[in-house]
Amino acid sequence: MSIRTLKTLIAVADSGSFSAAAKQVFITHVAVSQQIRALEDEWKITLFDRTHRTPELTPAGRALVAKAREVVAAYENIVPSVLGNQGIEGVLSLGAVPTTLTGLVPSAVSKLINDYPSLRVAVVPGLTTSLIQQVERGSLDLAIVSKPQFIPRNMAWYDLADEPLELLASLESDGRDPIHLLKNSPFIRFSRQAVVGGLIETWLQENKIVVRESMELESLEAISSMVYYNLGVSITPRTCITASNALPLKHLPLESGRNWSRILGCVSRADSVRIRAIDEMNAKLTATIREGKLSFPSVTTRSKKRTSNRDY
């Protein structure tokens, strides 16, 4: 048995097939089968039920995968645990919901790699449910998501921001009453596959508002553009980072008996070996949110900065 073989076992469990696991660990399908057979022979148990079209873990197999994760995590933490800041290196895989990708994420990641140049951050976009599943499987180190109703027991949650729901409307739209605008304008829906999309639908139902849906999008930038051209109104979270080049729109609060907002935060495995890098990422995200406004440097400014760096 080797760490490499345990990683192959975990890859099969996470990907659901020997073929997908082979691609993930960069070996052939035959090599994956041989490694799994070798583990079964060594441990004298059956890890997978092969009577199904796709092999499924047996109860003993599931228990051993859980232990294998602990062993691999402990092995990978040997060096980082004794290196201090030097342990913040390699690749940190960060999942992020679409609303954070053009403001919060790039600014925070820039701060992080500026402090830790040996660290690379790989950003993976996605919706909350999918990203949490990837973190739970170990495919991602952490993810910026909307807080779900339930957080898995083996996960750690870090609050980032409270983003109230608001109505977006064109400056050309009629009036500033959200209810009037919703009832008399086409509705551009935030994707119902997203956690915040479900929150928006619940608000509409509780307020007995029937909308004339015209489109359903998951990108806040795309929704804002549609609203800007007066193609409808939309309900979105008021992002915790305001870009200086944001489109001019009406941002109208939703008046209601209770607070309707999306809680944005970071989720990671409680037993993650990348805890130092995760803590630093959370700190940079918090600092970016505290600053509140994002300014984009001009091309000229960036060019001058690069020239200056070369000169010195």
Side-chain angles (χ1 to χ4, degrees):
M1 180 185 67
S2 67
I3 292 296
R4 182 179 181 183
T5 305
L6 292 181
K7 287 183 177 180
T8 299
L9 173 62
I10 294 169
V12 176
D14 288 345
S15 64
S17 75
F18 285 17
S19 297
K23 294 178 181 178
Q24 189 172 322
V25 296
F26 306 106
I27 60 177
T28 65
H29 181 284
V30 172
V32 170
S33 297
Q34 290 173 342
Q35 289 186 21
I36 298 303
R37 284 291 187 191
L39 281 177
E40 290 179 322
D41 291 342
E42 182 178 351
W43 290 338
K44 294 180 173 53
I45 60 169
T46 300
L47 293 171
F48 290 91
D49 180 354
R50 294 174 173 81
T51 61
H52 301 277
R53 182 182 179 89
T54 301
E56 295 182 2
L57 281 166
T58 62
R62 287 193 293 272
L64 283 166
V65 166
K67 289 296 182 182
R69 291 187 195 279
E70 294 177 10
V71 171
V72 171
Y75 172 79
E76 292 183 341
N77 194 41
I78 290 174
V79 174
S81 65
V82 298
L83 285 183
N85 284 351
Q86 295 178 33
I88 306 179
E89 56 188 13
V91 179
L92 181 73
S93 53
L94 170 68
V97 291
T99 53
T100 65
L101 290 173
T102 58
L104 177 60
V105 168
S107 179
V109 169
S110 177
K111 289 180 173 66
L112 183 66
I113 62 178
N114 185 62
D115 286 351
Y116 301 98
S118 296
L119 183 69
R120 276 200 311 117
V121 180
V123 177
V124 178
L127 298 179
T128 291
T129 301
S130 172
L131 292 176
I132 290 177
Q133 290 172 349
Q134 291 180 68
V135 172
E136 195 169 16
R137 292 198 304 263
S139 302
L140 293 173
D141 292 312
L142 75 162
I144 306 169
V145 297
S146 301
K147 189 173 186 177
Q149 188 173 4
F150 300 104
I151 298 171
R153 192 173 300 175
N154 62 333
M155 307 288 272
W157 175 264
Y158 182 86
D159 275 331
L160 288 175
D162 194 331
E163 299 183 329
L165 296 183
E166 64 179 4
L167 185 83
L168 296 184
S170 165
L171 298 180
E172 301 173 15
S173 59
D174 181 22
R176 301 184 61 84
D177 179 9
I179 305 300
H180 170 79
L181 287 167
L182 283 166
K183 290 182 176 179
N184 294 278
S185 309
F187 185 62
I188 302 169
R189 184 182 290 277
F190 201 108
S191 174
R192 275 170 286 208
Q193 295 182 29
V195 169
V196 70
L199 182 66
I200 291 166
E201 177 60 24
T202 301
W203 184 89
L204 290 170
Q205 291 183 12
E206 288 201 7
N207 286 275
K208 297 180 172 57
I209 299 172
V210 178
V211 295
R212 292 187 290 116
E213 188 173 325
S214 61
M215 58 188 82
E216 183 170 337
L217 304 168
E218 64 181 45
S219 162
L220 182 56
E221 287 67 36
I223 290 172
S224 297
S225 294
M226 298 296 180
V227 172
Y228 175 75
Y229 284 100
N230 206 21
L231 296 176
V233 299
S234 185
I235 297 176
T236 68
R238 185 190 307 152
T239 56
C240 55
I241 297 295
T242 303
S244 58
N245 64 345
L247 292 171
L249 299 171
K250 291 179 181 178
H251 294 260
L252 307 175
L254 299 181
E255 297 181 5
S256 182
R258 66 184 177 95
N259 180 36
W260 289 85
S261 61
R262 182 263 290 273
I263 299 175
L264 192 69
C266 270
V267 64
S268 60
R269 284 179 62 94
D271 60 356
S272 175
V273 300
R274 306 301 306 278
I275 189 63
R276 286 187 53 77
I278 290 170
D279 285 347
E280 287 297 324
M281 184 75 258
N282 286 337
K284 302 306 182 190
L285 289 164
T286 299
T288 301
I289 291 169
R290 193 180 300 118
E291 292 167 5
K293 189 164 185 175
L294 183 68
S295 297
F296 295 98
S298 65
V299 174
T300 303
T301 302
R302 292 199 299 268
S303 178
K304 285 181 178 178
K305 185 175 181 179
R306 288 197 296 268
T307 303
S308 176
N309 288 340
R310 282 198 302 269
D311 290 343
Y312 296 95

